[in-house]
Amino acid sequence: MSDFSTNYISIYFSALLFNEVKYINTLGDLQNIENALKGKTNIAFSYVRAIGTPEHRAVMEAAFVYGTTYQFVLTTEIAILESIGTEDIEYAHFYFFHCKPVSDLTQQCRRTLMEQPLTTLNIHRFIKTMEAPLLTEVAEDPQQVSTVHLQLGLPLVFIVSRQATYEADRTTAEWVAWRLLGKAGVLLLLRDSLEVDIPEHANVIFKRAEEGMPVEFLVLHDIDLIISRVESNTHMKETQEYEDNDMEGPDMDIQDDEVAETVYRDRKRQLPLELTVELTEETFNATVTASDSLVLFYAGWQAVSMAFLQSYVDVAVKLKGTSTLLLTRVNCADWSYVCTKQNVTDFPVVKMYKEGENPVSYAGMLGTEELLKFIQLNRISCPVNITSVQGAEEFLSGELYKDLITYSRVSVLGLFSPTMTTAKEEFTEAGKHLKGCVITGVYSEEDVLILSDKHAVTLPALLLARHQEGKIESIPLANAHVQDIVQIITNALLETFVSIFCNMDPEITVENLPTYLRLKKPLLILFSDGSINPQHKKAILTLVKEKHLDSLTPCWLNIKNTPVGRGILQVYFDALPPLPLLVVVNLHSGGQVFAFPSDQAVSEQNLLLWLKKVEAGLESPITILPAQEWKPPLPAYDFLSMMDAAASQHPPKKIPECMKETDVQENDGEQPEEKSAIRNEPTGTLRIKHWSRSNWFGEAKKSFAYDNKEL
């Protein structure tokens, strides 16, 4: 599926769940929903630390599957969680409110806490246990009994009963069942009807979920002892699973969510949002047409959006009182129509609107400095039309736009004769593509030959002025099209990294590494932990100037500024080697990694000889990187196919706003009535009714230890 489709579906998916998941901010909201649903349907209530975290995603996925069967309620307010009585509020929580059996509106719905971590798979397991009978009566060999609990990896607890004590035993079993709901299955075993011998004094039988394990006959005269027996078994099992997972590698259900963690960590930071104007469906068009505007399209529930909102506000702080550009924002979670109309298909997106021009989309890094550069370079036309030789000279020297030189170390001037209309149009279009990235200008007056002769170049041509070095390079543009010109300029910008290597600025970073990798040349990386040895700098710079390194991309990485460099070195060497260190990494052809010998001095002669040996295949690599793609840890969900499949089914009933009892439609026909403490075993209604949605968990089910034919 294309990025466009995936992004569109993500937006549609969120909109689809808007009515299935109720977001609440106060305890009163929760009480209103609970009162409205008593006697009608059950509630799946969850608390997550922030919108956009893995826990939030897990809840939304569960709502997609079970949202027409249960009312999902979500909050990020700790106060609501505290009011429920939870002691540990550090982590996300998931509760099941048993409201359907409640007929008395003054009675509170029973609440069952899911004690496992809040993941998609755990929610699925938990809800399946909520759908299972609370208590089941059996009269057969416990070793042969199987329920959905065993298939979900949970143990069974048999309360052994006699005919004479049946009523008391049943009451005890019901009490135990409520205490162990979601942790184990509870059954009432009628000893008098059983052909299998049971030890005379045994009153509890414990059956583990592991296949082939014998049942345990216990004598327990206290309910707390029964609960403790189950919980201790669960703890031992979780500890073993943790150790197994720790040896196998990271849990694949936990993705890199440093962004979400950052948003959560900074959740109490007060942003000066008053420096940006919040737009709505009513104010959007009037605002962007009345003044030059920068618009941030974001989603309030998405972690990346909220993280970038901080950078966006930081830009507003820097520009306060110095710019006529109006910084605005649109929360697409509230104003999806505005975002769709502006062709916003993912988040966050920044667009600049100027009178008489098409909107310009920002495509840089999601950080303050890069966005500020984009804004400042968009103050001028791209390309700028230069009308005199003197103006061209001032453009090339940096005098014409000296206040912008800090944002663009290179200025690009296109030279064309007045008759070269097509070539000029191609360059102009390329300049528009690079708007906000580099300063471009065009000169096509009658005296253009003065400039072409001065710089010894044949028209059409580019002049690249590198302001920091005071150099001007010329590049012919014969038969170059838009994309060719864009690539030429982009490569020229990359080459500035080599040409100013002597100043050690800029160094290679997480942000610019992908750009340099696009050159598809081996990387010659000088790893350092701070300052660079002058001898090393002199040796590399000499080889650069003598063009011995043209087939490589020389760069340096300061692990103090870019800590990920430590991890890179550990991949290469297993342990962190002494620094500084020179390494050649051939990512695009074989993945070999070569290290300069530590017993040799870094001189021009030694370095050149070593590089020639590497090129000739006479050096052995210290490691070979695997030829694998860099992919997300988990595959993306194909929402579209799920929606298409769901659309072919009969549309399910939905529960409206549920803030008032009269607004809630009766839904009793969808589930069997609960009688006493025993709930009838589901007859596959959910599995059949939501077949396409259940496919959501197809991959998750593969990790079950036992085959569950009911799922």
Side-chain angles (χ1 to χ4, degrees):
M1 182 179 294
S2 67
D3 290 341
F4 177 87
S5 299
T6 302
N7 293 329
Y8 177 81
I9 293 163
S10 297
I11 295 175
Y12 183 64
F13 173 62
S14 301
L16 181 71
L17 294 177
F18 183 76
N19 290 322
E20 291 190 355
V21 180
K22 300 299 176 188
Y23 291 83
I24 61 172
N25 296 312
T26 66
L27 180 60
D29 294 339
L30 179 61
Q31 292 172 341
N32 289 338
I33 294 175
E34 187 175 339
N35 290 334
L37 295 180
K38 288 177 180 177
K40 296 178 174 63
T41 193
N42 298 318
I43 297 173
F45 169 77
S46 56
Y47 159 80
V48 295
R49 296 170 298 168
I51 301 301
T53 59
E55 294 86 358
H56 174 248
R57 169 178 168 169
V59 172
M60 299 303 282
E61 290 169 357
F64 183 66
V65 178
Y66 297 104
T68 55
T69 306
Y70 309 108
Q71 178 60 60
F72 276 72
V73 179
L74 180 71
T75 187
T76 57
E77 299 297 328
I78 293 179
I80 297 179
L81 190 64
E82 291 174 334
S83 68
I84 295 177
T86 302
E87 295 181 0
D88 185 3
I89 61 173
E90 183 179 354
Y91 302 105
H93 287 67
F94 188 91
Y95 281 89
F96 192 89
F97 287 19
H98 305 268
C99 293
K100 188 172 183 179
V102 178
S103 56
D104 184 358
L105 295 182
T106 62
Q107 180 184 352
Q108 187 182 61
C109 301
R110 281 183 179 267
R111 298 168 179 177
T112 302
L113 171 66
M114 184 183 79
E115 297 188 0
Q116 292 75 28
L118 206 161
T119 65
T120 303
L121 183 57
N122 284 340
I123 294 176
H124 177 59
R125 287 171 167 165
F126 182 70
I127 289 180
K128 294 298 288 186
T129 62
M130 297 300 104
E131 294 173 339
L134 178 67
L135 179 65
T136 303
E137 294 185 5
V138 295
E140 57 183 299
D141 184 357
Q143 194 70 53
Q144 305 302 320
V145 173
S146 178
T147 70
V148 68
H149 302 88
L150 290 181
Q151 299 162 2
L152 294 173
L154 300 176
L156 296 181
V157 175
F158 296 83
I159 305 298
V160 182
S161 174
R162 299 178 184 274
Q163 193 66 38
T165 59
Y166 172 78
E167 292 299 331
D169 293 336
R170 179 180 172 80
T171 300
T172 300
E174 290 175 0
W175 181 245
V176 171
W178 278 113
R179 292 278 301 273
L180 291 179
L181 188 57
K183 303 176 184 177
V186 179
L187 302 94
L188 187 64
L189 180 65
L190 305 178
R191 181 195 294 265
D192 300 335
S193 304
L194 195 63
E195 297 180 358
V196 180
D197 290 334
I198 296 177
E200 182 64 26
H201 298 291
N203 61 350
V204 175
I205 300 175
F206 185 77
K207 182 176 182 179
R208 298 175 183 272
E210 292 82 4
E211 189 174 1
M213 294 290 291
V215 298
E216 300 176 38
F217 299 96
L218 307 172
V219 180
L220 301 174
H221 297 294
D222 188 280
I223 289 178
D224 289 335
L225 293 177
I226 300 175
I227 306 303
S228 177
R229 180 69 181 80
V230 173
E231 291 180 343
S232 63
N233 174 78
T234 303
H235 175 72
M236 291 174 59
K237 183 177 178 181
E238 289 177 350
T239 301
Q240 182 62 43
E241 288 178 351
Y242 175 81
E243 292 174 352
D244 292 343
N245 289 336
D246 191 48
M247 297 198 49
E248 292 173 1
D251 182 359
M252 290 304 290
D253 197 44
I254 302 176
Q255 305 181 64
D256 355 348
D257 271 287
E258 290 89 351
V259 175
E261 291 296 334
T262 300
V263 172
Y264 176 69
R265 185 187 65 226
D266 296 340
R267 67 193 184 282
K268 295 184 178 180
R269 174 186 172 189
Q270 294 295 321
L271 297 177
L273 293 177
E274 66 277 3
L275 297 179
T276 64
V277 178
E278 184 175 11
L279 300 182
T280 67
E281 186 175 341
E282 291 76 22
T283 62
F284 182 86
N285 288 333
T287 301
V288 299
T289 55
S291 60
D292 292 347
S293 304
L294 192 72
V295 183
L296 167 63
F297 298 90
Y298 70 103
W301 51 263
Q302 189 206 35
V304 177
S305 287
M306 299 311 294
F308 184 55
L309 180 60
Q310 297 181 11
S311 298
Y312 191 74
V313 172
D314 288 342
V315 170
V317 171
K318 290 178 179 291
L319 293 177
K320 183 179 180 181
T322 63
S323 175
T324 59
L325 185 70
L326 183 65
L327 270 67
T328 66
R329 52 190 167 87
V330 177
N331 189 343
C332 294
D334 297 329
W335 307 104
S336 57
Y337 175 76
V338 175
C339 301
T340 302
K341 192 172 182 180
Q342 296 302 313
N343 198 29
V344 174
T345 57
D346 55 2
F347 310 114
V349 169
V350 173
K351 293 191 176 188
M352 182 174 289
Y353 294 80
K354 288 189 175 183
E355 185 178 0
E357 300 180 15
N358 291 326
V360 178
S361 295
Y362 172 64
M365 298 293 296
L366 299 182
T368 303
E369 296 305 321
E370 286 294 318
L371 180 58
L372 186 60
K373 170 185 173 181
F374 172 78
I375 293 172
Q376 297 290 26
L377 293 184
N378 268 284
R379 286 165 42 196
I380 59 175
S381 301
C382 194
V384 177
N385 187 33
I386 307 297
T387 58
S388 68
V389 172
Q390 181 181 353
E393 296 289 3
E394 291 176 354
F395 177 89
L396 293 171
S397 68
E399 284 297 316
L400 190 59
Y401 297 109
K402 58 184 177 182
D403 57 330
L404 298 179
I405 296 304
T406 56
Y407 302 103
S408 179
R409 292 190 177 94
V410 177
S411 295
V412 182
L413 182 64
L415 301 180
F416 306 92
S417 69
T419 59
M420 295 177 175
T421 307
T422 302
K424 180 181 176 181
E425 289 175 351
E426 296 278 356
F427 176 78
T428 300
E429 192 62 32
K432 292 178 180 178
H433 279 284
L434 294 168
K435 190 172 186 180
C437 299
V438 64
I439 300 174
T440 59
V442 60
Y443 189 77
S444 60
E445 301 298 322
E446 295 289 346
D447 55 359
V448 69
L449 292 177
I450 297 175
L451 292 172
S452 64
D453 291 342
K454 179 178 178 179
H455 297 283
V457 64
T458 303
L459 300 180
L462 294 182
L463 297 181
L464 287 90
R466 302 188 186 279
H467 303 298
Q468 193 170 20
E469 305 155 62
K471 291 173 54 179
I472 298 178
E473 300 174 13
S474 57
I475 301 175
L477 275 186
N479 301 318
H481 299 291
V482 175
Q483 292 304 322
D484 301 323
I485 299 172
V486 170
Q487 193 61 52
I488 289 171
I489 296 175
T490 302
N491 289 346
L493 295 176
L494 292 175
E495 289 170 5
T496 62
F497 181 85
V498 176
S499 60
I500 61 174
F501 184 83
C502 57
N503 294 321
M504 293 299 144
D505 179 34
E507 66 186 80
I508 198 164
T509 64
V510 172
E511 291 80 8
N512 63 27
L513 177 59
T515 306
Y516 287 97
L517 289 179
R518 284 199 288 269
L519 290 176
K520 295 189 176 181
K521 294 181 181 181
L523 299 176
L524 175 62
I525 308 176
L526 175 59
F527 287 91
S528 76
D529 57 356
S531 59
I532 302 297
N533 186 311
Q535 180 183 348
H536 297 170
K537 180 169 69 173
K538 178 177 179 295
I540 297 175
L541 184 59
T542 299
L543 295 184
V544 168
K545 291 180 177 179
E546 294 177 357
K547 299 191 178 297
H548 291 300
L549 303 184
D550 285 356
S551 61
L552 304 170
T553 299
C555 49
W556 76 295
L557 195 153
N558 185 345
I559 63 173
K560 286 188 175 179
N561 296 337
T562 309
V564 72
R566 294 181 180 272
I568 295 173
L569 287 173
Q570 287 171 348
V571 170
Y572 295 167
F573 295 92
D574 292 332
L576 192 66
L579 299 179
L581 176 69
L582 270 170
V583 173
V584 168
V585 184
N586 193 354
L587 290 173
H588 301 286
S589 179
Q592 300 97 338
V593 179
F594 303 90
F596 184 79
S598 58
D599 58 350
Q600 294 186 21
V602 179
S603 63
E604 295 94 321
Q605 183 178 359
N606 289 344
L607 181 54
L608 184 58
L609 180 61
W610 175 67
L611 290 174
K612 287 182 177 179
K613 287 182 178 180
V614 169
E615 186 177 1
L618 301 177
E619 287 283 324
S620 298
I622 57 171
T623 189
I624 297 179
L625 302 177
Q628 61 186 29
E629 296 183 28
W630 295 348
K631 293 182 177 180
L634 292 177
Y637 291 113
D638 188 350
F639 297 125
L640 188 58
S641 64
M642 294 177 184
M643 293 174 186
D644 289 343
S648 64
Q649 307 287 330
H650 293 294
K653 295 180 181 180
K654 289 188 64 65
I655 297 175
E657 290 299 320
C658 72
M659 294 306 293
K660 297 180 180 178
E661 182 181 349
T662 55
D663 292 337
V664 183
Q665 300 298 322
E666 293 291 343
N667 199 27
D668 294 343
E670 295 190 11
Q671 289 183 312
E673 287 292 334
E674 300 180 34
K675 298 179 181 179
S676 184
I678 298 182
R679 293 176 291 181
N680 295 329
E681 183 77 40
T683 58
T685 303
L686 181 64
R687 177 169 54 85
I688 297 172
K689 178 179 178 183
H690 302 301
W691 180 85
S692 62
R693 294 187 175 203
S694 295
N695 285 345
W696 186 281
F697 292 96
E699 291 301 318
K701 293 175 190 173
K702 294 178 183 178
S703 63
F704 279 17
Y706 303 94
D707 180 37
N708 180 8
K709 296 181 180 179
E710 295 296 323
L711 300 181

